Amino acid sequence: MIVTFSHDTEQALGTLVRMVNTLPGPNSQVDTMGTLEELEKFVQEREFSAVGILTDKDLADVRDLRPLFAPVFTTDSDATAAAMINAIIARGTTTPRLTNHDGHPWHIHYSRDGSSLACRITVECGIALAQVISAGERERLRRCEAPDCDDALIDLSRNRSKRYCDARTCGNRLHVAAYRERRKASGE
């Protein structure tokens, strides 16, 4: 059985991965969501609609969400993932409604108009994760397999074969290193 997720679910999952990956990693202690400018760029990249003027409180609230969501990508239990996700969703205010905006077909928004950015992320991304778990697809949530990277990723490939957060960087770097090692071992 092939499970596909709706556009809005995939969008929320992409937002979640991008947000979690702003946390400092093993090879970089740089937090890439440390300023309002970085939050504004994130909002623009992820195409959030109807976001007002962002404040330092918005930045602090979104930054506080990252460590709540991050462990979902490393748990090996549906029950543990479900407990984490339920706790995350409970932090937000949900008011599901159908909407079609910005050229997108009808889809569900789970937070009400005027909700804070952090509430919107909490609810939208939490519900998207709940849909992944309820579809029996938790193994699609994981971390990059590159030894020097632990970025979160969501594997939306048909055969669940995605191993790296970005095939052009982590994946390519490992393939080039393996190629060089093979050449060195063969005496070339």
Side-chain angles (χ1 to χ4, degrees):
M1 179 172 125
I2 296 174
V3 175
T4 58
F5 298 104
S6 66
H7 166 76
D8 51 315
T9 297
E10 288 185 13
Q11 177 72 14
L13 292 169
T15 295
L16 175 60
V17 165
R18 171 70 173 80
M19 181 185 69
V20 168
N21 289 342
T22 64
L23 285 165
N27 293 321
S28 169
Q29 295 306 308
V30 177
D31 183 331
T32 58
M33 189 158 322
T35 67
L36 272 174
E37 291 78 22
E38 289 169 330
L39 179 60
E40 289 166 351
K41 181 180 176 188
F42 168 78
V43 166
Q44 185 177 34
E45 285 174 359
R46 297 310 309 161
E47 299 179 350
F48 279 94
S49 61
V51 173
I53 296 171
L54 297 169
T55 66
D56 288 334
K57 179 170 178 13
D58 292 310
L59 176 62
D61 291 348
V62 170
R63 287 172 52 89
D64 289 346
L65 291 176
R66 300 173 307 168
L68 299 175
F69 280 106
V72 175
F73 291 91
T74 57
T75 186
D76 59 357
S77 160
D78 287 355
T80 302
M84 286 188 262
I85 294 164
N86 286 337
I88 290 167
I89 294 170
R91 295 172 54 102
T93 304
T94 62
T95 308
R97 62 188 169 80
L98 282 168
T99 184
N100 66 341
H101 59 84
D102 300 326
H104 297 294
W106 287 103
H107 58 282
I108 301 171
H109 280 194
Y110 293 95
S111 56
R112 68 180 142 223
D113 287 340
S115 294
S116 70
L117 178 60
C119 180
R120 290 175 63 187
I121 291 171
T122 298
V123 174
E124 302 289 334
C125 294
I127 296 292
L129 285 172
Q131 291 172 343
V132 171
I133 301 304
S134 67
E137 298 290 332
R138 180 189 41 79
E139 67 275 1
R140 291 182 181 277
L141 307 170
R142 55 179 163 261
R143 293 290 183 161
C144 182
E145 290 183 19
D148 58 346
C149 181
D150 74 343
D151 278 358
L153 66 90
I154 177 77
D155 181 358
L156 296 175
S157 67
R158 270 181 185 237
N159 60 358
R160 297 179 185 96
S161 62
K162 187 172 180 178
R163 297 175 50 208
Y164 307 110
C165 61
D166 185 348
R168 291 175 301 222
T169 54
C170 289
N172 194 39
R173 188 177 62 245
L174 288 175
H175 289 109
V176 168
Y179 170 76
R180 288 181 179 154
E181 192 61 34
R182 284 191 306 272
R183 288 191 63 174
K184 182 179 172 184
S186 69
E188 288 184 35

